[in-house]
Structures are given as C-alpha cells and as structure tokens.
Amino acid sequence: CESNPALYTRCSILWLSSWSLNSMEQVSSLKLRDALPDIDEKSRESLVDNLISVSQIVSQQDGMTATPREFMVFLKTLINLVHAHSST
C-alpha cells in the first residue's frame, strides 16, 4: 500500500455486511448446481433451505449476521463434505 498511494486516494471499498435471503438462495443454488451436478433439483432446494436455516440459527446465537464471506465458507465446506462422502 505504501508503494501505491492511489489505493488510498482513488479506490473505494464496497462493504457487504450481509446478504438478503434471496441473494443467499440464488448464490448457494448456483454454486451447488455447478459443484454437485448429480443432485436433483428437489434435493438441491432442500440443501439450500438447510444452509440458510443453519446460517440464521448461528447468527441468532451470537447476535451477529453472518457475512457473505462466512456464508460462502460454510457453503464450500458443505460441498467439500459431500464430495468426500461420495468418494468413499
């Protein structure tokens, strides 16, 4: 950053503190469809609903809304678990 002062003077940061439920549904549905193409639509919808429910429950427990980054990490972890389970 010190070598490039334009980062301070010319750039702006778009901070996303949370996503709407609709955004969470769309993003997770698309990611699951790409990562797990063998899962049927009904199962994918169920996974999406469960992902969002767990995210909301965790958020209620600690009093904070899960950030988009945290939700994406959670989604990636679920995908990795499904891949690991299906390969055994």
Side-chain angles (χ1 to χ4, degrees), residues 15-71:
W15 183 261
L16 298 173
S17 60
S18 65
W19 276 345
S20 67
L21 288 177
N22 187 36
S23 296
M24 290 168 58
E25 288 173 3
Q26 289 181 5
V27 168
S28 54
S29 182
L30 289 171
K31 292 291 273 183
L32 287 172
R33 186 181 66 203
D34 292 343
L36 307 171
D38 296 336
I39 293 180
D40 63 272
E41 184 69 26
K42 187 174 180 178
S43 296
R44 186 170 43 251
E45 287 176 8
S46 179
L47 270 174
V48 168
D49 290 343
N50 287 319
L51 274 167
I52 293 170
S53 293
V54 169
S55 179
Q56 289 178 324
I57 290 168
V58 169
S59 294
Q60 290 171 358
Q61 294 297 319
D62 66 10
M64 299 176 67
T65 304
T67 65
R69 181 180 180 273
E70 292 168 331
F71 184 76

Side-chain angles (χ1 to χ4, degrees), residues 65-81:
T65 304
T67 65
R69 181 180 180 273
E70 292 168 331
F71 184 76
M72 292 303 293
V73 168
F74 181 43
L75 178 58
K76 185 176 180 181
T77 302
L78 173 76
I79 291 168
N80 290 339
L81 285 171

